[in-house]
Amino acid sequence: MKNVLSLLLGLTAGLAQAQPQQADSVFIRKIYDETLARGKSYEWLRELTKQVGPRLSGSEGAKKAVVWSKELMEKEGFDRAFLQDVMVPHWVRGAKEEAYIRSGKQKLVVPVAALGGSVATPPKGIEAQVVEVKNVAELEKLGTAGVKGKIVFFNRPMDPTKINTFEAYGGAVDQRANGATFAAKFGAVGAIIRSMTTLLDDVPHTGSMRYGTGVPLIPTAAISTNGAEKLSSLLKENPALTFFFKQNCESLPDAPSHNVVGEIKGTEKPDEIIVVGGHLDSWDLAEGAHDDGAGCVQSIEVLRVLKALGYKPKRTLRAVMFMNEENGLRGGIGYADYAKKNNEKHLAAVESDNGGFTPRGFGIVGTAGQKKQVMGWKELLAPYGLQEIGPGGGGADIGPLAQQGTALFGFKPDSQRYFDIHHTAVDRFEAVNKRELELGAASMAALVYLLDKYGL
């Protein structure tokens, strides 16, 4: 009799546990149905990229994007849409860059793009001999005697054997960020950086760089990977060849801008906040469709979908369009500062800034208990291709919230094509697949639903 009673109690407990999970499964299915059948993110992305366009912080495009996103969230009937003031860097590219390799009588034009934050060359450009290095250790070995008066060419490729292309990017991007500083320490007059992509093509990839203290500010630009291969090959044939480049960029005084926040107020715990967001700014070379227009429209879609389904969140849900992720992170830092100043409690934050490709999962930054709880939702999310759920990065914009104990979640789409277009002129609306974008929005909405219902 005792064994029968134990069995019955076990079955009862199992049924009690299964009922909420079944309800969650049904609701998550509704989230995907609404997003895939009646989703708005793709058309919003068309508007953002085609009507607003490039949105580098401080630019007229960035101003238009702020107005566009606030009006959109007001139109969707969120409880509140408001702006947070931030001062942002204002760097402008100026006239299109020029570059060529001169080897003997041969003059070969190559594609380059000034790196964000770089100074300009002299008005007539710079032409000098070139030294090629793979890393700082090789540069230090050459020393001032081998570098002074020359252009340093950093030519370390992203590692093509890395399955996760973000890992490959992380293993190479330091030369873009710091190459000019290290080259200047040894007297270089300029720095040329191999573009951050595994693809061999003629498209230069821009991106942010920074100058260290106490060194001359020398101009620095990215060269396309085909250009880098050609320069490296010609250097082997003729170490005395010269490289010419001319760029017209300039850093203007910091400019006023805004984070844009849309909100649905919580019904039970309104003082607990769950953020979902992307960064509104983009590089100036193209429309910023994958980086990060996709993340912005997906985040707004999360709130729209839950609202359309009649879901009444327990906690306050916010869609945040952060400003200035690309060359300063002022929006992310400013948002965390506002939260601290207003004593806001942020339970969790989800960021989409890895492109609008096919969903794979979420990286989690949090306590062991928080990670364990989220891992318990894998069975609910796995049917939608979300297999990669576990420890990982959250996101640059939401990172400053970690100091308040906020659990961070980074949306992880398939990474294989991202760096083909990252920070380039080909990051356009046409590069985004509608269904992949919508699946990402639905995945984020499913996670936000579970975070809101169960907390952490």
Side-chain angles (χ1 to χ4, degrees):
M1 185 66 182
K2 186 177 179 180
N3 289 340
V4 173
L5 183 60
S6 297
L7 180 61
L8 288 172
L9 288 171
L11 287 171
T12 302
L15 286 170
Q17 185 177 0
Q19 285 173 351
Q21 191 168 49
Q22 178 62 25
D24 292 336
S25 179
V26 169
F27 191 77
I28 289 171
R29 179 69 257 183
K30 289 180 179 179
I31 287 174
Y32 277 85
D33 288 348
E34 170 65 25
T35 310
L36 295 173
R38 290 169 291 280
K40 295 186 178 182
S41 60
Y42 191 67
E43 289 308 313
W44 290 341
L45 184 62
R46 188 196 303 275
E47 291 177 14
L48 180 60
T49 55
K50 298 302 182 184
Q51 296 178 20
V52 176
R55 309 171 296 280
L56 190 59
S57 64
S59 69
E60 287 302 311
K63 292 178 183 177
K64 288 172 64 178
V66 166
V67 172
W68 175 86
S69 47
K70 182 173 184 285
E71 288 181 348
L72 173 61
M73 290 192 277
E74 288 172 341
K75 181 182 175 183
E76 289 302 320
F78 298 164
D79 294 336
R80 189 163 66 125
F82 60 97
L83 304 180
Q84 293 180 333
D85 297 339
V86 289
M87 293 296 292
V88 298
H90 188 190
W91 178 86
V92 294
R93 182 173 302 278
K96 184 174 173 59
E97 302 86 349
E98 304 171 41
Y100 58 77
I101 304 164
R102 191 194 301 273
S103 182
K105 294 182 179 180
Q106 184 182 18
K107 183 177 171 181
L108 180 67
V109 173
V110 290
V112 300
L115 293 180
S118 176
V119 296
T121 60
K124 293 185 178 180
I126 289 176
E127 185 165 357
Q129 289 188 345
V130 178
V131 289
E132 179 182 352
V133 297
K134 292 289 193 296
N135 50 49
V136 174
E138 290 184 9
L139 184 65
E140 290 176 336
K141 189 175 181 181
L142 288 170
T144 303
V147 173
K148 189 174 182 179
K150 297 179 180 179
I151 294 170
V152 174
F153 169 39
F154 289 90
N155 191 32
R156 182 166 81 255
M158 284 174 53
D159 186 348
T161 68
K162 299 291 186 184
I163 303 304
N164 182 344
T165 60
F166 283 90
E167 186 178 349
Y169 176 74
V173 75
D174 64 311
Q175 61 193 322
R176 188 194 77 198
N178 304 311
T181 292
F182 286 113
K185 283 182 179 179
F186 297 101
V189 295
I192 297 295
I193 318 297
R194 183 188 182 99
S195 284
M196 296 293 106
T197 177
T198 56
L199 193 66
L200 289 175
D201 63 13
D202 294 313
V203 180
H205 293 233
T206 191
S208 188
M209 57 80 58
R210 55 184 174 267
Y211 291 110
T213 56
V215 297
L217 309 186
I218 62 173
T220 180
I223 186 172
S224 71
T225 48
N226 277 344
E229 293 289 295
K230 190 65 177 178
L231 178 55
S232 182
S233 175
L234 290 174
L235 274 170
K236 291 178 175 63
E237 298 173 9
N238 178 15
L241 65 73
T242 59
F243 188 87
F244 168 87
F245 74 114
K246 179 182 176 183
Q247 57 192 43
N248 306 279
C249 39
E250 181 182 9
S251 289
L252 301 174
D254 284 0
S257 191
H258 310 274
N259 294 327
V260 188
V261 185
E263 182 178 273
I264 297 177
K265 204 72 173 174
T267 56
E268 295 180 19
K269 299 180 178 181
D271 293 335
E272 290 188 6
I273 298 167
I274 298 172
V275 161
V276 58
H279 65 84
L280 195 54
D281 60 306
S282 74
W283 282 107
D284 57 318
L285 294 177
E287 298 167 354
H290 277 291
D291 187 20
D292 184 30
C296 289
V297 297
Q298 286 172 327
S299 299
I300 299 171
E301 178 75 341
V302 168
L303 268 62
R304 185 203 71 80
V305 166
L306 292 174
K307 184 174 182 291
L309 293 173
Y311 180 71
K312 304 296 184 185
K314 295 180 179 180
R315 297 164 171 87
T316 294
L317 306 183
R318 281 185 182 170
V320 182
M321 311 295 102
F322 296 97
M323 181 58 71
N324 182 229
E325 186 273 347
E326 293 293 4
N327 60 338
L329 206 63
R330 302 279 183 87
I333 294 168
Y335 183 85
D337 287 345
Y338 278 107
K340 185 176 181 180
K341 180 181 177 181
N342 295 321
N343 294 315
E344 293 179 340
K345 179 183 178 182
H346 283 71
L347 181 75
V350 183
E351 184 166 354
S352 171
D353 186 20
N354 293 330
F357 300 103
T358 302
R360 295 287 184 249
F362 295 94
I364 310 168
V365 179
T367 65
Q370 289 169 335
K371 292 174 186 176
K372 182 179 179 181
Q373 179 170 337
V374 176
M375 296 288 282
W377 300 334
K378 288 184 77 170
E379 188 175 338
L380 289 165
L381 300 174
Y384 303 98
L386 300 170
Q387 303 284 349
E388 299 175 22
I389 299 175
D397 290 297
I398 60 176
L401 287 170
Q403 296 179 8
Q404 304 176 26
T406 306
L408 310 181
F409 297 84
F411 171 58
K412 293 169 61 176
D414 183 89
S415 72
Q416 301 312 314
R417 292 170 286 157
Y418 186 58
F419 291 101
D420 294 355
I421 65 171
H422 182 247
H423 294 179
T424 73
V426 296
D427 186 9
R428 298 187 295 264
F429 174 73
E430 292 79 8
V432 178
N433 177 273
K434 180 177 184 289
R435 186 167 180 84
E436 290 179 341
L437 180 74
E438 291 174 343
L439 284 168
S443 301
M444 293 159 62
L447 177 62
V448 168
Y449 159 72
L450 292 169
L451 289 168
D452 176 63
K453 183 174 179 179
Y454 295 105
L456 284 172

